[in-house]
Amino acid sequence: MQPPFLLKDQTPLAVGKTQTVYQHPGDPTLLIKVRKLDKVQRSYDRKLGGIIGYKRRHGLYTTWMRELEHYFSVCLRLGYQPPFLQRDHGIVDTDRGLGMVVGRITDRSGALAPRLEEVVTRTGLTAELRAKVEHLARQMNELRISTNDISMTNIVYGWDEIAKEDRLVLIEGIGVNTFVPLARYS
């Protein structure tokens, strides 16, 4: 069995509401997302509304399971990974709990790609940026990508080395978040 990745002495690259993002120690093209278990547990308990004994099948990792399931179903259905979805590489053991390994999205200089929110704050919603947002929305609709938490913090403005252009990439928030997932069956 492989020992866990040691992240506790690393400085996080990004800190969100429910997870922290670290550079993968063995591969500069990958990141490791780790859930903030105490924060997620409080939210999980609050959402259950005091239902004693109720547990979701995947517990504190339900969001990840929903995202992974939708990511794989989209890739299998299409036969390829859409370039506007962050590539998932699986789950690893870390000294901070389970970690999701994902592709690192960078800007033109090779730095971590900024969130759409940061770009809009810095430059405003330019015509070019508006066109990219509309293009992303069209692609998601055409490919039937379901989202449950899409916001300007879940989209990054990265550089596509192959196409030699800037692009928007959805880094989280995909999958169906309803009690009865009707879209999955229609």
Side-chain angles (χ1 to χ4, degrees):
M1 184 169 164
Q2 179 179 342
F5 286 97
L6 303 176
L7 303 175
K8 69 177 180 176
D9 294 330
Q10 275 196 39
T11 303
L13 297 176
V15 179
K17 286 186 266 182
T18 59
Q19 56 191 8
T20 306
V21 180
Y22 296 92
Q23 178 60 54
H24 189 289
D27 189 336
T29 65
L30 299 176
L31 303 173
I32 299 178
K33 294 180 180 180
V34 179
R35 303 285 284 166
K36 292 180 178 177
L37 295 178
D38 57 334
K39 173 90 174 178
V40 175
Q41 181 67 54
R42 285 193 304 273
S43 174
Y44 183 73
D45 291 343
R46 188 173 52 254
K47 285 180 183 176
L48 294 178
I51 301 172
I52 298 173
Y54 176 81
K55 295 273 187 223
R56 286 188 177 174
R57 183 169 138 198
H58 303 294
L60 303 178
Y61 295 96
T62 298
T63 302
W64 281 3
M65 291 305 296
R66 182 184 316 119
E67 288 183 6
L68 285 169
E69 177 187 29
H70 194 64
Y71 173 82
F72 288 125
S73 71
V74 166
C75 293
L76 289 172
R77 179 171 41 87
L78 298 175
Y80 66 93
Q81 186 244 325
F84 59 86
L85 290 181
Q86 184 177 39
R87 185 175 296 276
D88 282 312
H89 292 270
I91 304 294
V92 294
D93 191 22
T94 78
D95 59 349
R96 298 221 175 259
L98 292 178
M100 182 187 292
V101 180
V102 295
R104 180 183 171 119
I105 311 298
T106 60
D107 63 13
R108 290 176 184 229
S109 69
L112 198 60
R115 292 180 177 139
L116 181 57
E117 177 182 56
E118 297 167 32
V119 175
V120 170
T121 300
R122 187 173 56 237
T123 65
L125 187 57
T126 63
E128 178 189 356
L129 192 53
R130 182 183 301 271
K132 288 190 182 305
V133 170
E134 290 170 357
H135 179 67
L136 175 63
R138 270 193 314 277
Q139 286 180 305
M140 290 173 58
N141 283 330
E142 288 170 6
L143 298 178
R144 298 188 338 255
I145 307 294
S146 300
T147 61
N148 61 61
D149 182 24
I150 192 164
S151 69
M152 291 198 317
T153 59
N154 293 342
I155 301 170
V156 296
Y157 190 75
W159 174 250
D160 186 338
E161 189 60 40
I162 296 168
K164 301 293 186 208
E165 65 181 7
D166 293 311
R167 65 184 169 134
L168 295 178
V169 179
L170 189 58
I171 58 171
E172 60 186 40
I174 64 171
V176 180
N177 191 19
T178 58
F179 181 68
V180 179
L182 296 176
R184 184 184 305 164
Y185 300 108
S186 64

